[in-house]
Amino acid sequence: MARAGNLRIGGGAPVSVQTMLDSPLSPEGAPGVVSMISDLAALGCDMIRFSFVSPDDAAPFSYIASHSVIPVVADIHFDYRMAILAIGSGAHKIRINPGNIGARWKTEEIVRASLDHGTAIRIGLNSGSLPQSVRGMKVPEAMVSTALEYLGWFESWGFRNTVVSLKSSDVAETMEAARAFRRLSDYPQHIGITEAGDPVISAVRSSWALGTLLSEGIGDTVRISMTGPVEEEVIAGVELLRTLSLRKKGVRIISCPRCGRHTFDTIAFERKVRKRLLSLDKDITVAIMGCLVNGPGEAGNADYAVTGMKEKVYLYRKGRVLAAVSPEDAEDALFEAIADE
Amino acid sequence: MARAGNLRIGGGAPVSVQTMLDSPLSPEGAPGVVSMISDLAALGCDMIRFSFVSPDDAAPFSYIASHSVIPVVADIHFDYRMAILAIGSGAHKIRINPGNIGARWKTEEIVRASLDHGTAIRIGLNSGSLPQSVRGMKVPEAMVSTALEYLGWFESWGFRNTVVSLKSSDVAETMEAARAFRRLSDYPQHIGITEAGDPVISAVRSSWALGTLLSEGIGDTVRISMTGPVEEEVIAGVELLRTLSLRKKGVRIISCPRCGRHTFDTIAFERKVRKRLLSLDKDITVAIMGCLVNGPGEAGNADYAVTGMKEKVYLYRKGRVLAAVSPEDAEDALFEAIADE
């Protein structure tokens, strides 16, 4: 088991969801970033990562790490001194690829600093940047063998607060690597598909791959990487855990596709309310339906439902009509009803 | 096996992707709809469905059905006369739920008309609208039992060109129903999660559920329903089949998430080129990368890659730099390189 701040990773702890913010770190921007992190945490994010690339990042990173409601991770590449700085700035976890840190003694410096500060380390390997020494091997074997070698270094320095990730943009390679690593090691795994594409494409690839691994008991923390908005990564990660029954709490939205039967614009309504709904600290199902074919049936199964019919929007509570309002008043009526609970 | 126009469903045929258009059917709009269908077909859509709700739909539907590059399905609710009209208007397939058609003789009329015209029928059951007679049963059993009863009717009328769908907004129920049906019947299945939510949420739920079923050999045609743009349903469906290696052809995009290392706006670039890329009749991988940590590595694995570094965008062909252009010229350079192949 690893521990980043107050978050346990592996060892039977709940699977956590993480994402990465690309906000450039600046002293003026730091309070805004802290509030952004709170919004992501409300959506279900458990851990947040930043690139740490220059000594100027230390002050804002330190502010963020000490004010964030969830553990903060520093992403380090190439320069071991940035890792040492991030650790000293209160990073709860750092992510490094020892293969691009350079000499082994530099990685040792990082590990010893982490040991002193109680910082967790993710050994983050990526099929796109493996060391020359394993270039002849198949990608999954190459990643597993490289990870085990680094874990050996870490253990020889007395360090075990480690998480491993073996990511590839190829779904089959990623799954094979995660399974092969799991057969050889109990270290917690961060799982994800790297360079997975835009929100919908990534959600498809990642959900299939990570869903399958998680259902086999592999994977302790997940990131669904997307070329797209950071909230979508969190929403997708949380939704995946909920779909797999690995996370119970939260709001489940069910909503109609477009079809010719619609008399209510479910797309616009869903888009307007989704973040607010998904940020509620409730364990409920909300149905957003556009017509009378499936609307009333689904409304009966949901805790709350909004079903449009002609010019009226009907608000249901467990299948019973609470109110009939205009489309403009539907959002307020829905959130008031939920708040009244 | 069923057959809708020139599309085989089941019996070992490739799994097909479908979606539904909510364009109101009108004589003036029909040519535009036909061209929209061609765009969806270029993205990988194999079959397209419309609600058919009034006698006025017959003329535009007929135009669309005879001009569409892919088979056209009519979605019918409540009124058996609309089904007869749709069949007479050249529908390659219709979707009905005999439970909301009313008297059994009305369903028989529909089936006999389909027999005469060679039209396929999907018996589309939805957990939100099951008959009273099975209300005491668990949802999956209730859906399977209802489907088998209707299939018995259809067979007694000599009709076997049938596809079955058993949809629920609950992922576990949908999976259980599809598996239970498969144990009892070889009829082709259309699989999908109903009211699955907005694009990202639906992509997560649907990919996990349908991916699992497809990997068990269950499911002959898929729709990933979304409260969102119709193209996303097709992109998600095709991506799922490609992820599962059930469809080989097409363009695979891999692209970076946001991160602090970026010097090139991959999100904007990916959004600008994705539909055009995914509509190409090519079997290639295109990487869109934002930095030099993973960019060159992924570029080496992709057929084409665009990697931004500072003010230059490098275009690669199988790992070899073809050109260094400005970000503004990157799209043209990429498509020209692909066209030159």
Side-chain angles (χ1 to χ4, degrees):
Chain A
M1 195 195 76
R3 182 182 290 270
N6 56 11
L7 185 73
R8 291 179 303 129
I9 304 166
V15 177
S16 52
V17 169
Q18 52 178 294
T19 188
M20 186 162 183
L21 273 175
D22 61 348
S23 322
L25 294 173
S26 73
E28 315 77 53
V33 170
V34 167
S35 122
M36 209 186 298
I37 295 173
S38 297
D39 292 347
L40 293 171
L43 285 171
C45 185
D46 301 302
M47 186 155 48
I48 185 86
R49 182 158 50 115
F50 296 89
S51 283
F52 193 114
V53 295
S54 106
D56 297 339
D57 292 342
F61 188 91
S62 168
Y63 179 91
I64 293 166
S66 60
H67 289 79
S68 168
V69 294
I70 51 177
V72 173
V73 185
D75 201 60
I76 308 291
H77 282 279
F78 309 121
D79 190 343
Y80 83 104
R81 293 165 305 179
M82 294 307 117
I84 310 280
L85 253 181
I87 293 162
S89 305
H92 301 101
K93 182 177 164 197
I94 60 164
R95 181 255 173 163
I96 58 169
N97 176 355
N100 72 25
I101 293 297
R104 179 173 155 154
W105 67 264
K106 294 178 179 174
T107 296
E108 183 172 356
E109 291 281 310
I110 297 173
V111 171
R112 296 208 183 275
S114 297
L115 207 50
D116 288 346
H117 287 79
T119 313
I121 301 181
R122 166 156 69 100
I123 297 176
L125 305 185
N126 187 305
S127 64
S129 51
L130 286 172
Q132 289 295 342
S133 58
V134 294
R135 278 284 155 89
M137 299 165 83
K138 282 188 181 165
V139 170
E141 289 166 31
M143 289 202 285
V144 171
S145 147
T146 307
L148 292 174
E149 186 188 346
Y150 296 147
L151 284 168
W153 296 4
F154 282 38
E155 290 183 3
S156 75
W157 302 319
F159 191 87
R160 291 179 178 269
N161 194 13
T162 319
V163 177
V164 169
S165 67
L166 310 174
K167 293 193 187 181
S168 164
S169 61
D170 184 90
V171 164
E173 273 178 9
T174 303
M175 294 171 77
E176 214 178 310
R179 287 169 174 150
F181 181 81
R182 175 58 182 269
R183 283 193 293 271
L184 297 170
S185 170
D186 282 334
Y187 273 100
Q189 284 193 61
H190 164 129
I191 55 173
I193 304 296
T194 196
E195 291 101 31
D198 63 52
V200 162
I201 291 179
S202 170
V204 169
R205 287 185 195 153
S206 303
S207 299
W208 161 248
L210 307 189
T212 301
L213 290 173
L214 288 167
S215 72
E216 294 170 8
I218 298 171
D220 304 288
T221 179
V222 302
R223 177 188 179 198
I224 299 194
S225 300
M226 291 177 174
T227 311
V230 67
E231 300 85 12
E232 299 302 319
E233 295 198 351
V234 175
I235 289 170
V238 169
E239 191 62 39
L240 181 61
L241 297 187
R242 288 174 54 80
T243 299
L244 295 164
S245 300
L246 291 171
R247 183 174 295 204
K248 304 289 180 193
K249 241 178 121 273
V251 176
R252 177 167 170 261
I253 301 177
I254 62 178
S255 59
C256 276
R258 311 150 326 288
C259 87
R261 299 187 301 265
H262 275 200
T263 56
F264 171 54
D265 188 347
T266 51
I267 297 186
F269 187 78
E270 200 271 349
R271 208 172 284 155
K272 198 165 66 164
V273 301
R274 75 194 282 263
K275 257 202 246 177
R276 192 172 162 196
L277 268 183
L278 294 173
S279 299
L280 291 175
D281 188 17
K282 299 270 181 183
D283 187 7
I284 52 175
T285 298
V286 177
I288 300 171
M289 310 294 296
C291 81
L292 37 74
V293 172
N294 297 319
E298 291 294 343
N301 297 327
D303 295 301
Y304 296 90
V306 173
T307 303
M309 296 183 204
K310 309 236 167 87
E311 292 76 40
K312 279 282 173 225
V313 173
Y314 293 83
L315 176 64
Y316 295 77
R317 168 81 180 109
K318 288 196 187 295
R320 196 172 55 82
V321 176
L322 279 185
V325 299
S326 70
E328 297 70 44
D329 293 335
E331 178 176 356
D332 284 350
L334 170 63
F335 283 93
E336 276 164 28
I338 296 174
D340 279 353
E341 169 95 358
Chain B
M1 195 196 75
R3 182 183 290 270
N6 57 10
L7 185 73
R8 291 179 303 128
I9 305 167
V15 177
S16 52
V17 169
Q18 51 177 296
T19 187
M20 186 162 182
L21 273 175
D22 62 348
S23 322
L25 294 173
S26 73
E28 315 77 55
V33 170
V34 167
S35 121
M36 208 186 297
I37 294 173
S38 297
D39 292 347
L40 293 170
L43 285 171
C45 185
D46 301 301
M47 184 156 48
I48 186 84
R49 180 158 52 115
F50 296 90
S51 284
F52 193 114
V53 295
S54 104
D56 296 340
D57 292 343
F61 188 91
S62 168
Y63 179 91
I64 293 166
S66 60
H67 290 79
S68 168
V69 295
I70 51 178
V72 172
V73 186
D75 201 60
I76 308 292
H77 282 280
F78 310 122
D79 190 342
Y80 82 105
R81 293 166 306 181
M82 294 307 115
I84 310 280
L85 254 180
I87 294 162
S89 305
H92 301 101
K93 182 177 163 198
I94 59 165
R95 181 256 172 161
I96 59 170
N97 175 354
N100 73 24
I101 293 296
R104 178 172 156 153
W105 67 264
K106 294 178 178 172
T107 296
E108 184 173 354
E109 292 281 311
I110 297 173
V111 171
R112 295 207 183 277
S114 298
L115 207 50
D116 288 347
H117 287 78
T119 314
I121 301 181
R122 167 156 67 101
I123 297 176
L125 305 185
N126 186 302
S127 65
S129 51
L130 285 171
Q132 288 296 341
S133 59
V134 295
R135 279 283 155 90
M137 298 166 83
K138 282 187 181 165
V139 169
E141 289 167 31
M143 289 202 286
V144 171
S145 147
T146 306
L148 292 175
E149 187 188 345
Y150 297 148
L151 284 168
W153 297 4
F154 282 37
E155 290 184 3
S156 75
W157 302 320
F159 191 88
R160 291 179 177 273
N161 194 12
T162 318
V163 178
V164 169
S165 69
L166 310 173
K167 292 193 188 181
S168 165
S169 61
D170 184 272
V171 164
E173 274 178 8
T174 303
M175 294 170 77
E176 215 178 310
R179 288 169 173 151
F181 181 81
R182 175 57 182 269
R183 283 193 293 270
L184 298 170
S185 170
D186 281 334
Y187 273 100
Q189 284 193 62
H190 163 128
I191 56 173
I193 305 296
T194 194
E195 290 99 31
D198 62 52
V200 163
I201 291 180
S202 170
V204 170
R205 286 185 195 154
S206 302
S207 300
W208 161 247
L210 308 190
T212 301
L213 289 173
L214 289 166
S215 73
E216 294 170 9
I218 298 172
D220 304 288
T221 178
V222 302
R223 177 189 178 197
I224 300 195
S225 301
M226 291 179 175
T227 309
V230 66
E231 300 84 11
E232 298 302 318
E233 294 197 352
V234 175
I235 290 170
V238 169
E239 190 62 38
L240 181 61
L241 296 188
R242 285 174 55 81
T243 300
L244 295 163
S245 301
L246 291 171
R247 184 174 295 204
K248 303 288 180 195
K249 242 180 118 272
V251 176
R252 177 167 170 262
I253 301 177
I254 62 178
S255 60
C256 275
R258 313 151 323 292
C259 88
R261 299 187 300 265
H262 276 200
T263 55
F264 172 54
D265 189 347
T266 51
I267 297 185
F269 188 77
E270 200 271 348
R271 208 173 284 155
K272 198 166 64 165
V273 301
R274 76 195 282 264
K275 257 203 248 177
R276 193 173 162 195
L277 269 182
L278 294 173
S279 299
L280 292 175
D281 188 18
K282 299 270 182 182
D283 187 8
I284 52 175
T285 297
V286 178
I288 300 171
M289 310 295 296
C291 81
L292 39 75
V293 172
N294 296 319
E298 291 294 342
N301 297 326
D303 295 303
Y304 296 90
V306 173
T307 303
M309 295 182 205
K310 309 237 168 84
E311 293 77 38
K312 280 280 172 225
V313 174
Y314 293 82
L315 176 64
Y316 295 78
R317 168 81 179 109
K318 290 197 188 291
R320 197 172 55 80
V321 176
L322 280 186
V325 299
S326 70
E328 297 70 43
D329 293 335
E331 178 176 356
D332 284 350
L334 171 63
F335 283 93
E336 276 163 29
I338 296 174
D340 279 352
E341 170 95 356

